[in-house]
Amino acid sequence: MSKQIVVSGIRSTGFLHLGNYFGAIHNYVKMQNDYNCYFFVADYHSLTTHPDPKDLKQHVFRVAAENIASGLDPEKVALYVQSDVPEILELYFLLNTLTYKGELEKVPTFKEKVRSQPENVNAGLLTYPVLMAADILIHRAVKVPVGKDQEQHLEMARNMANRFNNRYGELFPEPYPFNFGSELIKVPSLDGNGKMSKSENINATIYLADDDETIRKKTMKAKSGLSPEQPNSSMTDDIQNLFSLMRLMTDEIIVAQYEAAYADCSIRFGDMKKQLAEDMIRFVAPIRERAADLQKDEVRLQRILKEGAEKARASASETLKATRKLIGINYY
Ligand code: TRP
């Protein structure tokens, strides 16, 4: 049986952090053996906020390098840059004709942008979900590893697929969000305010590019409060966060020792944070170093991305040919 097709887009703004690792990259790496995977850097999507042209290449290469350094194998998956696959833009226009202004205006992520950047409500932002649908449907993907915040976009992609199929004939399968297990892994920030994030709480977020000393400093500053005074007292949110991070990073036996120490009030949060910092360093340092080496080897990265684009275009051009034919763009 042929492998199921998987697509996911990686935003090229900001530095990748542990939240991205456990929320996305980790899933990509787990999928790469069993599925036919297309993973791309979404550089067109990033243009809706007008990044400085000088920065674009560096952003794209860094994100690609960090994904490879985290275990994504460009031999197994097609890893490419969105703008290297022009077929996506043609399908984007065709899907635009099947999408209504009213439904785009209702999308929560769009409404949020209207609130947060009223000075730049451009049509690219409005049609962001159409471009995302084109990214997915161009490979006729059925599974899309994304976070909860992308569910509405996926529902729109399914609507566009169905509208196309009903009007022009069966071509696109319905894509569904995918994750391993029912709970998505949440990586709490070190200051107890929500999750690790690309732009907020820089000091409470561990980035894959952070050096050892930075990781130590950020971790030691994490809020922990006073040691418990009563045996078996319930944990504050800050302490629960530290334990959640520890469960991702630290050997189970050691985590159990700290839990026991919490229960009998002998825990010292300073020691716990030191342990956590060293375990995060052990996790991040090899990824950081591999990513840095790759970023220095531009020729190799370019070769990887060009090969990825070739694989992606082979699949994309087949879909586009079938799409044009069904629509009636079939003149010669
Ligand atoms: N919108 C996604 C995000 O913000 C990124 C993305 C763009 C994407 N195109 C995609 C994800 C296609 C999955 C499939 O994270």
Side-chain angles (χ1 to χ4, degrees), residues 76-274:
K76 293 182 182 160
V77 307
L79 178 64
Y80 58 99
V81 184
Q82 189 180 30
S83 61
D84 280 335
V85 183
E87 289 82 1
I88 295 169
L89 286 190
E90 191 171 335
L91 184 60
Y92 164 64
F93 175 77
L94 300 172
L95 295 176
N96 264 316
T97 69
L98 297 172
T99 312
Y100 298 95
K101 175 169 160 282
E103 67 184 323
L104 292 170
E105 283 168 342
K106 276 193 304 205
V107 176
T109 45
F110 176 70
K111 291 204 289 195
E112 168 51 33
K113 291 284 179 200
V114 173
R115 260 195 304 274
S116 64
Q117 48 176 72
E119 72 296 342
N120 181 26
V121 185
N122 60 66
L125 270 182
L126 181 67
T127 56
Y128 185 110
V130 190
L131 182 54
M132 181 162 161
D135 293 328
I136 298 166
L137 299 180
I138 197 74
H139 300 299
R140 287 179 265 186
V142 291
K143 287 197 164 79
V144 185
V146 283
K148 264 221 154 321
D149 60 330
Q150 300 296 313
E151 273 173 7
Q152 171 111 26
H153 290 153
L154 267 261
E155 189 185 331
M156 295 182 72
R158 288 195 294 280
N159 286 341
M160 289 177 223
N162 287 327
R163 272 181 216 159
F164 182 96
N165 293 345
N166 291 335
R167 178 171 296 269
Y168 297 115
E170 199 61 32
L171 179 62
F172 298 114
E174 289 189 321
Y176 280 90
F178 178 81
N179 60 72
F180 291 94
S182 50
E183 255 317 283
L184 287 171
I185 300 175
K186 287 201 195 78
V187 182
S189 76
L190 288 165
D191 64 1
N193 283 323
K195 298 182 294 179
M196 286 198 185
S197 129
K198 273 190 184 159
S199 43
E200 296 152 48
N201 314 334
I202 310 174
N203 292 317
T205 295
I206 303 290
Y207 296 91
L208 298 179
D210 279 348
D211 61 36
D212 294 356
E213 212 33 58
T214 306
I215 296 175
R216 261 184 217 114
K217 270 204 207 115
K218 287 179 178 178
T219 311
M220 295 316 287
K221 276 206 208 118
K223 280 196 215 143
S224 50
L226 300 173
S227 301
E229 287 175 358
Q230 305 281 333
N232 302 313
S233 46
S234 59
M235 291 185 189
T236 63
D237 288 350
D238 292 336
I239 302 304
Q240 278 185 19
N241 280 348
L242 285 179
F243 272 108
S244 304
L245 283 169
M246 227 188 185
R247 278 183 212 108
L248 291 171
M249 294 289 147
T250 304
D251 185 83
E252 277 175 50
I253 297 172
I254 297 176
V255 179
Q257 283 166 359
Y258 279 98
E259 283 168 336
Y262 184 88
D264 69 16
C265 305
S266 66
I267 193 163
R268 288 165 50 176
F269 290 129
D271 291 347
M272 179 182 180
K273 288 192 277 189
K274 260 187 219 149

Side-chain angles (χ1 to χ4, degrees), residues 48-65:
T48 55
T49 50
H50 308 155
D52 191 326
K54 287 198 301 296
D55 296 337
L56 214 56
K57 176 172 173 181
Q58 200 199 346
H59 287 173
V60 167
F61 278 38
R62 189 185 60 229
V63 169

